[in-house]
């Protein structure tokens, strides 16, 4: 085995031997040696030390050896730019070689060596090669211009290469044309406004001619370029379409898809009543279907594109439902995509077939696929009214299988069917209720609870059912808790007499014992609504719900238009605009479909516009009316013992809360609630500001948060925005740091301002001055829905890797989610690193103070400070007062602090009576921390 | 465009790595480099996230830290193309397949050993067929003229310019000056017939995907014209007169849903005249692919009967009927009857061939060597089941079938293949032509 032999040689450190062989006189030996070098390069060995010896082999007439040396050069030139210069002469010489293969090889390789000094030498040979008599050299040189542009754009412009490249579009050789088009397209992308690819009818004509003659790859370059052109009128549009349609029969799928892209785009300009328009529509379907017999990876690309095409022009594929039927052996990614398209194509005409298929799929093995199939049945019911009944009965059959995840999915979709067709299928509720116990997924539990609440008046034991969920209220996910709260309030409004206890229980669970602000606030809203105006409560809680839409998961129309312009590309596979996954200037330019010439209406766009903004869930669990009302940003009430004044103040607050005019409906409720309040159960969790004078009214409820962030403990700055939603694809992070019970915490609010759900959060820190690192993973357990916020407290430790940062307290953070990775940096108050055992012995303090040289002392002023209990305040943040004396009406406080990494900082604080400006001197063996420590003193004292 | 191309073995070790674009090499972020997952370079990112991923592959395109990975797998070998741009995804996959074809044409099976033994050649190929990530001429016929495993012997100037003009030329797939003593060509019409049938015998979907594979051993630069019983062509001719003939052949003509051609075929000519004309590559290649859905001859019908006898027994009876001319013989017939996972024992009785229960495949495999048309055969089996607590019902995968028949289930017939070579002195009559039809099962399933 040659490979292992070569590899073992290098492994055993015989670089010397290689060196000798490289310098051998024998050609064969030389070649073998270079091969060995390349082999070790491939497996990641560093063979850069052999650079001069390998370059020496370059001067050879053996093409194979030359190629190997060039390969080596491309890899190592960048790390050894000075040495690379040694190769320049040979390159320049090779560019003049009589053999066109060598000329091309030289110019190709030279462009790959990204060393500035070399690029200078590249210009002249490149200029010659662009005009070479041999097309093979010209086509290579054309690509080389793009390479050079990537290294030094200015140089390419200055040297006039762009004009030469444009001239090559008229070259007699189709392959040269294709490569020139590719190079120009790439360069044009980084200059969005330059008129570089000056496409006019003459150039278009040249491109179309070359299209018939060049390689399959060249055809792709040309078609992709054509797609950027906007014809002047419908006639030009039609004539281009006519010349592009033959490409639909090409064996290469990429050629077909690129042709489809051109046709889809130019079709926009054709009048709909034109015969040709209809002909074209008919011509598009067969090649798209043929793509589905390609290899699975290509099928996947094709399906993702068909998904877009079907949304834009449903008429193209409307008769082709059968080809999307899933085959047993399809890879899962193909199956899921096919299913998606099947639902989009489902109509009254084919619904029977579709349903029969979906039923089959629901018994397959792959869990994701089965779930999607069950969901699809629900979507069919919503989409095709005539089929609703059959869908429901199919779903009931599936529920009978008792396969856990099938049952749960079925219940989720049945909830939507109830929404779509009210008062039609409620007879199945009994069957659903039987499966209550087997539901273990939040979405299914929430759906079931919604059903029970919504139809409480028809379910005899609705109260029992809901009560059974209450037991484990705190273990439920937020989604379920919110739904349960709402459902019970609905139940109460429908059957007030029997359910007071229940509603009271859920209200107190939601408001008192929950850390979740959304839940608490919804609880308070209901509570207040019920106590002030039950009629209004009824109007709000039992309001008529808006109708749900037929189509879900539609791509937003402007995005869809853009994606249509990107058919065949990665953007069409990801269903995201290029700007979402491409860095830098490339692809930032948004593409648009041209306006149609004749009748303007583009199918569906207007009707779908409103729909697509809504999240796919028909009844968004978090985002409904009340949820939105409550979507205020409150800081969490995780710590702080209740202040002493609470008990009485609370009582007042509670009375006030409930005292408002309650009338007929629920007198008894008031009593019960008041009793509850009297017991002190309700108030316990209600924070301090409740006791403030003049409290009452809804506003106060919402003020709670502001009071909460400031307990007596360590100082923690208010949250500030660290990561702006704009820069992070909709993820906004604001946060602060705090030290709570000896644990450093990073407290963040993650807000999803994007349109899609965010999951899979993770966090990492870069090395920092004090070795801060997360003590555990970022706990974001539930997916973050659009417009939702979540509070997370991440405990930190200081055992991470250390690197001095500037400023010292700077922290670079990376946060990852399912969408991307985002970076930000923030500064933490150094006071959170002050440890609890930072109180120094008096004697040691004195000794240390003297011991630290005076150069290490720094003095600062703290202005406008008015405080009485300075020591107490400082101690709250682990700044300990060692001694205090008064000299000439001036208070002198001697303070000590210990940082997590063991650094002691000693301080002398001077306070002149009546003078709001304090003076502080800090002494520390590591004076670079002084500035930061001072800032913390200031922050602690002033807050 | 493609930023880099990597070949891995099944362990995720890199066998070949070729980086075309600077943005790929290492994925460090400008400015701050944050620890952990970012410092890994592209090569490792793919290994960790795809090859070593525990989960089944959920997409052939993966985006890791703003870098997209396209992969295909051939036996144990992973080929991955990497990019940071919005590339033409279909093109990248087509290129990866092409890359596999080229490698196979050079050194046979794509295996770890072959790749290691040919790594210099692979690098040379990669340098030639991808330039700055743009695919270039990748026709093996052309490549083999100047990328050889033996090293190039001193070429004359004419030879050199012949190579370059072929690589860049309009007929990049064929070199000039080919000479054969005997001009001969073989046409294989290879069809795979796909069926999905309901237990009641209703055809849920059926289509034939066919390929016309040509082996040409012709001298010079021959112009070829291929004709088949395409309904559109026949109908057109019918209008022109010869009504008798048209009526006769009209019955035999077939409706082709769609077809695609090798790049040698002049597509614009097909589009306007529906005639298939081309200069063929030398040797074997695929001339066209097509698909039909109407009037398909389904060579076999499978009639399943599954009965559950209590909770521990299953009775299965399957009848197959052959549905073609009695004079023809089907071969390599195999019927695969899935069995539940908790099968403890199987008794099989079949009239013809051999049947065996294969526990590892969870299926009864029934093989029949040959079967003539218009016959039927039957198998019955008793399946003993272990009692289980598993609530989940057995998914009942479909019964699948394999076979080979000596005719084209679509009904396609080759009408002619004419060869013209004006410069050399041989005519269409001198060419020896062979045509063969083979119909194979594609995915031929009957639900039970």
């Amino acid at each position: 085995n040659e490979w292992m032999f070569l590899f073992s040689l290098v492994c055993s450190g015989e670089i010397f031997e290689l060196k000798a062989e490289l310098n051998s006189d024998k050609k064969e030996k030389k070649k073998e040696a270079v091969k060995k070098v390349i082999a070790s390069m491939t497996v990641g060995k560093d063979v850069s030390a052999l650079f001069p010896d390998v370059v020496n082999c370059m001067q050879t007439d053996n093409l194979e050896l030359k190629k190997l040396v060039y390969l080596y050069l491309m890899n190592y030139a960048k790390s050894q730019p000075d040495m690379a210069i040694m190769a320049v002469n040979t390159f320049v010489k090779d560019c003049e070689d009589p053999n066109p293969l060598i000329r091309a090889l030289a110019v190709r390789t030279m462009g790959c060596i990204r060393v500035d000094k070399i690029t200078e030498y590249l210009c002249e040979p490149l200029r010659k090669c662009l005009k070479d008599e041999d097309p093979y050299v010209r086509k290579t040189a054309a690509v080389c211009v793009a390479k050079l542009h990537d290294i030094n754009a200015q140089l390419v412009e200055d040297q006039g290469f762009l004009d030469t490249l444009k001239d090559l579009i008229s070259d007699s050789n189709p392959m040269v044309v294709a490569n020139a088009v590719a190079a120009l397209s790439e360069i044009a992308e980084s200059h969005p406004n330059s008129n570089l690819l000056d496409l006019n009818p003459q150039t278009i004509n040249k491109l179309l001619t070359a299209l018939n003659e060049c390689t399959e790859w060249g055809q792709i370059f040309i078609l992709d370029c054509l797609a950027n052109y906007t014809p002047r009128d419908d006639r030009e549009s039609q004539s281009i379409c006519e010349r592009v349609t033959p490409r639909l029969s090409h064996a290469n799928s990429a050629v077909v898809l690129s042709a489809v892209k051109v046709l889809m785009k130019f079709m926009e300009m054709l009048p709909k009543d034109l015969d040709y328009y209809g002909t074209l529509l008919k011509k598009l379907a067969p090649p798209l279907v043929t793509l589905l017999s390609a290899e699975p990876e290509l099928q996947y690309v094709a399906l993702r594109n068909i998904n877009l095409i079907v949304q834009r022009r449903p008429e193209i594929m409307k008769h082709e439902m059968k080809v999307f039927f899933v085959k047993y052996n399809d890879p899962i990614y193909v199956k899921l995509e096919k299913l998606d398209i099947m639902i989009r194509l489902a109509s009254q005409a084919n619904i029977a077939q579709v349903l029969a298929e979906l039923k089959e799929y629901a018994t397959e093995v792959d869990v994701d696929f089965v779930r999607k199939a069950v969901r699809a049945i629900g979507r069919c019911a919503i989409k095709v009214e005539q089929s609703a009944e059959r869908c429901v009965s199919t779903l009931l059959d599936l529920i009978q299988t008792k396969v856990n995840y099938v049952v749960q999915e079925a219940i989720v979709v049945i909830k939507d069917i109830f929404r779509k067709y009210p008062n039609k299928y409620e007879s199945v509720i009994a069957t659903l209720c039987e499966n209550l116990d087997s539901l273990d997924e939040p979405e299914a539990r929430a759906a079931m609870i919604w059903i029970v609440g919504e139809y409480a008046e028809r379910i005899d034991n609705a109260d029992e059912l809901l009560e059974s969920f209450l037991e484990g209220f705190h273990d439920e996910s937020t989604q379920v808790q919110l739904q349960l709260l709402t459902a019970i309030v609905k139940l109460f409004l429908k059957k007030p007499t029997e359910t007071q206890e229940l509603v009271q229980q859920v209200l107190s669970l939601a408001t008192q014992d929950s850390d979740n602000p959304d839940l608490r606030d919804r609880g308070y809203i209901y509570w207040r609504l019920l106590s002030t105006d039950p009629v209004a409560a009824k109007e709000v809680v039992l309001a008529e719900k808006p109708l749900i839409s037929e189509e879900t998961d539609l791509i937003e129309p402007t995005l869809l238009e853009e994606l249509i312009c990107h058919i065949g590309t990665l953007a069409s596979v990801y269903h995201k605009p290029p700007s979402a996954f491409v860095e830098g200037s490339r692809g930032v330019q948004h593409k648009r479909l041209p306006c149609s010439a004749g009748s303007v209406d583009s199918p569906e766009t207007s009707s779908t516009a409103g729909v697509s903004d809504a999240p796919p869930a028909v009844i968004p669990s978090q985002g409904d009316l009340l949820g939105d009302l409550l979507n205020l940003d409150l800081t969490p009430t995780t710590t702080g013992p209740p202040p002493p004044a609470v008990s009485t103040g609370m009582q007042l607050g509670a009375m006030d809360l409930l005292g408002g005019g309650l009338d007929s409906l629920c007198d008894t409720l008031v009593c019960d609630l008041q009793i509850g309040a009297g017991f002190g159960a309700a108030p316990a969790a209600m924070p301090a500001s409740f006791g403030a004078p003049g409290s009452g009214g809804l506003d106060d409820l919402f003020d709670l948060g502001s009071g909460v962030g400031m307990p007596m403990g360590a100082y923690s700055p208010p949250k500030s925005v660290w990561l702006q939603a704009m820069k992070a694809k909709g993820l906004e992070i604001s946060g602060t740091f705090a030290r709570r019970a000896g644990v450093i915490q990073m407290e963040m609010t993650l807000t999803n301002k994007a349109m899609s759900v965010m999951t899979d959060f993770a966090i990492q820190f870069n090395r920092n001055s004090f070795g801060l690192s997360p003590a555990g993973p970022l706990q974001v357990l539930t997916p973050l829905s659009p417009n939702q916020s979540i509070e997370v407290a991440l405990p930190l430790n200081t055992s991470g890797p250390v690197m001095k940062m500037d400023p010292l307290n700077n922290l670079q953070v990376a946060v990852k989610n399912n969408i991307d990775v985002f970076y930000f940096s923030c500064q933490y108050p150094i006071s959170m690193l002050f440890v609890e055992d930072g109180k120094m012995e008096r004697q040691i303090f004195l000794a240390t103070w003297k011991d630290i040289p005076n150069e290490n002392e720094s003095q600062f002023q703290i202005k406008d400070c008015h405080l009485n209990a300075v020591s107490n305040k400082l101690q709250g943040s682990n700044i300990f007062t060692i001694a205090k004396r008064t000299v000439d009406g001036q208070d002198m406080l001697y303070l000590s602090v210990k940082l997590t990494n063991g650094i002691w900082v000693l301080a002398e604080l001077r306070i002149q009576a009546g003078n709001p400006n304090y003076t502080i001197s800090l002494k520390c063996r590591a004076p670079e921390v002084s500035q930061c420590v001072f800032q913390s003193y200031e922050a602690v004292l002033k807050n | 465009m493609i930023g880099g191309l990597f070949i891995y073995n099944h362990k995720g070790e890199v066998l070949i790595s070729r980086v075309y674009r600077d943005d790929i090499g290492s994925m460090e972020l400008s400015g701050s480099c944050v620890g952990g997952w970012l410092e890994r370079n592209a090569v490792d990112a793919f290994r960790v996230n795809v090859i070593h991923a525990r989960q089944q592959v959920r997409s052939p395109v993966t985006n890791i830290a703003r870098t997209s990975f396209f992969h295909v797998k051939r036996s144990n070998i992973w080929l991955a193309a990497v990019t940071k741009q919005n590339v033409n995804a279909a093109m990248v996959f087509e290129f990866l397949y092409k890359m596999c074809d080229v490698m196979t044409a050079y050194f046979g099976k794509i295996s770890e050993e072959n790749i290691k033994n040919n790594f210099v050649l692979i690098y040379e190929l990669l340098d030639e067929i991808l330039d700055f990530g743009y695919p270039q001429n990748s026709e093996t016929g052309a490549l083999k003229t100047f990328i050889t495993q033996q090293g190039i012997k001193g070429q004359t100037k004419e030879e050199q310019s012949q190579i370059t003009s072929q690589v860049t030329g309009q007929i990049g797939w064929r070199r000039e000056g080919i000479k054969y003593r005997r001009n001969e060509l073989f046409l294989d019409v290879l069809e795979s017939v796909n069926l999905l049938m309901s237990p009641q015998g209703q055809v849920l979907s059926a289509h034939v995907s066919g390929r016309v594979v040509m082996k040409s051993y012709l001298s010079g630069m021959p112009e070829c014209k291929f004709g088949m019983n395409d309904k559109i062509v026949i109908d057109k001719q019918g209008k022109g007169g010869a009504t008798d003939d048209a009526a006769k052949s009209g019955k035999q003509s077939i409706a082709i849903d769609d077809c695609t051609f090798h790049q040698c075929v002049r597509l614009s000519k097909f589009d306007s005249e529906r005639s298939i004309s081309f200069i063929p590559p030398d040797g074997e290649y695929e001339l066209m692919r097509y698909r039909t859905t109407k009037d398909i001859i389904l060579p076999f019908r499978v009639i399943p009967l599954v009965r559950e006898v209590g909770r521990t027994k299953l009775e299965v009876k399957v009848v197959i009927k052959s549905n073609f001319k009695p004079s023809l013989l089907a071969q390599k017939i195999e019927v695969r009857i899935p069995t539940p996972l908790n099968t403890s024992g199987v008794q099989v009785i079949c009239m013809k061939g051999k049947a065996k229960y294969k526990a590892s495949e969870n299926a009864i495999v029934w093989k029949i060597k040959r079967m003539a048309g218009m016959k039927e055969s039957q198998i019955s089996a008793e399946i003993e089941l272990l009692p289980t607590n598993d609530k989940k019902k057995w998914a009942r995968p479909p019964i699948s079938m394999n076979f080979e028949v000596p005719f084209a289930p679509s009904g396609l017939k080759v009408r002619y293949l004419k060869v013209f070579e004006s410069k050399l002195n041989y005519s269409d009559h001198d060419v020896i032509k062979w045509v063969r039809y083979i119909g194979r099962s594609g995915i031929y399933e009957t639900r039970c």
Side-chain angles (χ1 to χ4, degrees), chain A residues 173-191:
Chain A
N173 184 295
M175 197 155 167
V176 177
V177 177
N179 276 3
V181 166
L184 276 173
S185 303
E186 178 167 342
I187 295 170
E189 253 181 56
S190 49
H191 298 272

Side-chain angles (χ1 to χ4, degrees), chain A residues 456-486:
Chain A
E457 70 274 27
R458 304 172 191 225
I459 306 171
D460 293 337
N461 60 343
D463 50 342
E464 282 170 37
L465 294 177
L466 291 177
E467 199 172 1
S468 68
F469 282 100
L470 266 192
E471 283 162 26
F473 188 79
H474 291 297
D475 303 326
E476 299 285 359
S477 76
T478 311
Q479 191 183 9
V480 178
Q481 290 176 332
L482 287 168
Q483 206 55 260
L484 194 53
L485 175 60
T486 306

Side-chain angles (χ1 to χ4, degrees), chain A residues 1-4 6 35 38-39 42 63-64 67-68 71 74 78 98-101 105 108 114 134-136 139-140 143 146-147 150 173-175 179 182 186 212-213 215-217 220-221 224 245-247 249-254 257-258 283 286-287 289-290 295 297-298 300-301 322 327-328 332-333 336 357 360 363 365-366 368 402-403 405 566 568-571 573-574 578 580-583 586 729 764 766 812 814 820-821 823, chain B residues 1 14-18 21-22 29 32-38 56-63 66 68 70-73 83-91 93-95 97-98 113 116-117 119-120 123-124 127-128 131-132 134-139 146-147 149 151-152 155 157 160-161 163-164 167-170 196 203-205 207 257-263 267-268 270-271 289 291 391-393 395 397-398 443 445 447:
Chain A
N1 185 326
E2 187 186 14
W3 175 275
M4 288 317 290
L6 297 177
K35 272 192 188 178
I38 304 284
T42 301
L63 194 56
E64 203 188 359
K67 280 182 179 175
L68 289 172
L71 191 63
M74 282 187 270
K78 211 174 176 190
N99 185 343
L101 291 172
L105 179 65
R108 185 165 71 210
R114 303 172 58 95
D134 194 296
Y136 183 74
K139 71 113 187 164
T140 311
V143 175
K147 292 179 188 169
D150 197 35
N173 184 295
M175 197 155 167
N179 276 3
E186 178 167 342
N212 285 325
E213 294 163 350
T215 65
E216 45 193 330
W217 315 116
I220 300 168
F221 306 153
D224 285 350
T245 37
R247 297 300 119 197
S249 302
H250 203 287
N252 186 314
S253 308
L257 268 178
S258 290
K283 278 194 174 171
V289 173
T290 297
E295 289 86 343
E297 292 87 2
L298 267 174
Y300 175 72
V301 174
K322 277 189 180 179
K327 293 182 189 137
Y328 191 72
I332 183 66
Y333 50 80
L336 292 170
E357 281 294 307
E360 285 287 332
T363 61
V365 183
D366 189 283
D368 282 352
K402 304 277 177 195
V403 177
Y405 52 84
H566 287 294
T569 69
L570 260 182
V573 175
Y574 292 149
F581 59 94
V582 176
E583 272 162 15
R586 272 188 192 131
K729 300 188 185 151
Q764 255 194 21
N766 199 1
Q812 293 177 338
D820 207 336
V821 182
Y823 309 94
Chain B
M1 279 306 118
V14 181
L15 304 178
I16 298 286
S17 98
R18 177 73 161 94
R21 300 259 173 165
D22 241 19
L29 269 112
S32 70
C33 67
V34 184
W37 68 88
L38 300 175
Q56 197 187 356
V57 176
R58 290 269 150 178
S59 163
V61 188
T62 324
N63 193 306
R66 297 209 143 208
S68 297
F70 298 74
H71 72 264
V72 300
K73 215 179 154 194
T83 183
K84 287 207 146 190
Q85 299 172 25
N86 182 31
V87 295
N88 188 319
M91 184 188 80
F93 280 124
E94 283 284 4
F95 177 79
Y97 302 144
K98 191 63 148 198
E113 199 187 348
K116 283 179 171 176
N117 288 337
F119 77 99
V120 172
Y123 277 123
E124 206 179 322
D127 197 43
E128 184 61 42
D131 190 5
F132 202 39
Y134 290 103
Q136 304 292 305
N137 191 343
S138 43
E139 286 300 313
F146 68 110
I147 297 182
Q149 280 163 296
I152 307 163
Q155 294 150 328
K157 207 164 176 208
Q160 287 163 6
S161 74
I163 289 169
T164 58
V167 174
T168 59
Q170 294 183 20
L196 185 63
V203 176
L204 296 174
S205 71
H207 74 273
D257 287 31
D258 189 40
C259 46
T260 60
F261 296 99
H262 185 267
Q263 59 172 326
L267 293 178
S268 41
F270 177 75
D271 193 57
R289 281 182 185 220
R291 183 167 46 83
K391 266 191 197 166
K392 217 169 123 186
K393 251 177 73 186
I443 294 162
E445 294 176 337
R447 289 180 179 157

Side-chain angles (χ1 to χ4, degrees), chain A residues 728-744:
Chain A
K729 300 188 185 151
L731 175 66
E732 189 187 75
I733 300 181
S734 59
T736 184
F737 293 88
R739 187 178 184 92
R740 304 200 192 277
V743 179
I744 306 167

Side-chain angles (χ1 to χ4, degrees), chain A residues 154-450:
Chain A
Q154 196 57 46
L155 186 70
V156 170
E157 280 166 46
D158 295 347
Q159 295 278 331
F161 285 139
L162 294 180
D163 292 326
T164 324
L165 202 54
K166 278 191 208 168
D167 293 343
L168 289 184
I169 290 190
S170 317
D171 199 279
S172 59
N173 184 295
M175 197 155 167
V176 177
V177 177
N179 276 3
V181 166
L184 276 173
S185 303
E186 178 167 342
I187 295 170
E189 253 181 56
S190 49
H191 298 272
N193 297 321
S194 72
N195 202 16
L196 198 56
L197 253 175
D198 169 32
L199 294 175
N200 54 48
Q202 287 76 39
T203 46
I204 291 293
N205 194 34
K206 281 175 195 154
L207 293 184
L208 287 167
T209 310
L211 186 62
N212 285 325
E213 294 163 350
C214 62
T215 65
E216 45 193 330
W217 315 116
Q219 296 184 20
I220 300 168
F221 306 153
I222 292 178
L223 287 168
D224 285 350
C225 172
L226 269 180
N228 291 326
Y229 177 65
T230 309
R232 288 160 309 170
D233 52 32
D234 52 327
R235 291 183 59 189
E236 191 188 7
S237 185
Q238 177 175 346
S239 83
I240 296 175
C241 287
E242 280 167 355
R243 293 177 72 178
V244 168
T245 37
R247 297 300 119 197
L248 294 176
S249 302
H250 203 287
N252 186 314
S253 308
V255 175
V256 176
L257 268 178
S258 290
V260 169
K261 166 164 58 191
V262 175
L263 297 174
M264 280 293 285
K265 198 176 163 190
F266 290 9
M267 234 164 111
E268 297 287 331
M269 295 185 67
L270 300 177
K272 289 233 164 77
D273 43 3
L274 194 71
D275 284 346
Y276 182 71
Y277 178 82
T279 319
L280 197 54
L281 273 184
K282 274 192 208 120
K283 278 194 174 171
L284 278 171
L288 287 172
V289 173
T290 297
L291 292 177
L292 299 183
S293 46
E295 289 86 343
E297 292 87 2
L298 267 174
Q299 277 187 52
Y300 175 72
V301 174
L303 285 164
R304 293 291 281 175
N305 279 286
I306 291 173
N307 199 329
L308 297 173
I309 293 168
V310 164
Q311 288 184 58
R312 180 75 194 165
R313 294 189 179 277
E315 63 271 33
I316 293 178
M317 302 299 283
K318 73 178 173 205
H319 299 301
E320 305 291 346
M321 170 62 91
K322 277 189 180 179
V323 300
F324 298 103
F325 284 0
V326 169
K327 293 182 189 137
Y328 191 72
N329 290 321
D330 281 337
I332 183 66
Y333 50 80
V334 169
K335 284 185 176 176
L336 292 170
E337 288 307 315
K338 281 187 174 174
L339 193 49
D340 220 38
I341 296 171
M342 275 174 71
I343 300 161
R344 293 200 195 286
L345 292 178
S347 67
Q348 205 183 330
N350 56 25
I351 195 76
Q353 272 184 319
V354 173
L355 263 182
E357 281 294 307
L358 292 176
K359 212 174 160 181
E360 285 287 332
Y361 303 162
T363 61
E364 280 220 32
V365 183
D366 189 283
V367 176
D368 282 352
F369 181 61
V370 171
R371 283 172 179 274
K372 199 164 181 172
V374 176
R375 236 165 237 245
I377 298 175
R379 273 168 69 182
C380 285
I382 289 163
K383 203 174 163 188
V384 184
E385 186 162 1
Q386 293 82 350
S387 76
E389 199 154 338
R390 288 169 65 182
C391 294
V392 171
S393 79
T394 307
L395 287 170
L396 284 178
D397 287 350
L398 289 172
I399 288 177
Q400 298 304 343
T401 63
K402 304 277 177 195
V403 177
N404 190 281
Y405 52 84
V406 173
V407 173
Q408 311 213 38
E409 284 298 327
I411 286 182
V412 171
V413 291
I414 286 181
K415 179 201 72 176
D416 293 348
I417 297 176
F418 284 166
R419 279 284 311 268
K420 171 82 184 185
Y421 309 109
N423 304 319
K424 228 174 155 183
Y425 299 110
E426 284 76 10
S427 55
V428 307
I429 289 175
T431 321
L432 302 186
C433 289
E434 287 164 21
N435 291 285
L436 212 59
D437 297 335
S438 65
L439 308 180
D440 55 11
E441 287 163 23
E443 207 183 349
R445 286 173 84 84
M448 193 63 223
I449 291 168
W450 182 88

Side-chain angles (χ1 to χ4, degrees), chain A residues 173 317 370 375 505 518 571 597 609 642 762 802 837 871:
Chain A
N173 184 295
M317 302 299 283
V370 171
R375 236 165 237 245
Q505 209 182 338
D518 287 345
V802 177
D837 61 345
S871 291

Side-chain angles (χ1 to χ4, degrees), chain A residues 30-204:
Chain A
K30 254 188 189 179
K31 204 163 95 183
E32 282 309 305
V34 179
K35 272 192 188 178
K36 287 175 201 169
V37 173
I38 304 284
S40 38
M41 193 172 85
T42 301
V43 294
K45 293 273 158 212
D46 183 13
V47 281
S48 59
L50 295 167
F51 200 95
D53 309 280
V54 177
V55 170
N56 275 338
C57 302
M58 201 170 159
Q59 293 253 22
T60 171
D61 48 0
N62 182 321
L63 194 56
E64 203 188 359
L65 177 58
K66 203 181 266 291
K67 280 182 179 175
L68 289 172
V69 175
Y70 279 4
L71 191 63
Y72 178 90
L73 274 174
M74 282 187 270
N75 246 329
Y76 281 113
K78 211 174 176 190
S79 58
Q80 312 230 355
D82 294 330
M83 300 269 241
I85 297 291
M86 291 164 37
V88 163
N89 266 335
T90 321
F91 275 127
V92 174
K93 224 177 98 201
D94 281 354
C95 286
E96 313 235 345
D97 196 278
N99 185 343
L101 291 172
I102 290 185
R103 292 203 295 278
L105 179 65
V107 78
R108 185 165 71 210
T109 312
M110 228 172 151
C112 296
I113 296 178
R114 303 172 58 95
V115 174
D116 269 343
K117 285 180 200 157
I118 287 204
T119 39
E120 290 168 29
Y121 295 99
L122 177 59
C123 291
E124 277 324 299
L126 178 59
R127 198 186 312 282
K128 271 187 206 149
C129 288
L130 280 166
K131 303 210 160 129
D132 200 286
E133 54 171 19
D134 194 296
Y136 183 74
V137 181
R138 290 202 301 278
K139 71 113 187 164
T140 311
V143 175
C144 189
V145 175
K147 292 179 188 169
L148 190 58
H149 185 270
D150 197 35
I151 306 168
N152 190 342
Q154 196 57 46
L155 186 70
V156 170
E157 280 166 46
D158 295 347
Q159 295 278 331
F161 285 139
L162 294 180
D163 292 326
T164 324
L165 202 54
K166 278 191 208 168
D167 293 343
L168 289 184
I169 290 190
S170 317
D171 199 279
S172 59
N173 184 295
M175 197 155 167
V176 177
V177 177
N179 276 3
V181 166
L184 276 173
S185 303
E186 178 167 342
I187 295 170
E189 253 181 56
S190 49
H191 298 272
N193 297 321
S194 72
N195 202 16
L196 198 56
L197 253 175
D198 169 32
L199 294 175
N200 54 48
Q202 287 76 39
T203 46
I204 291 293

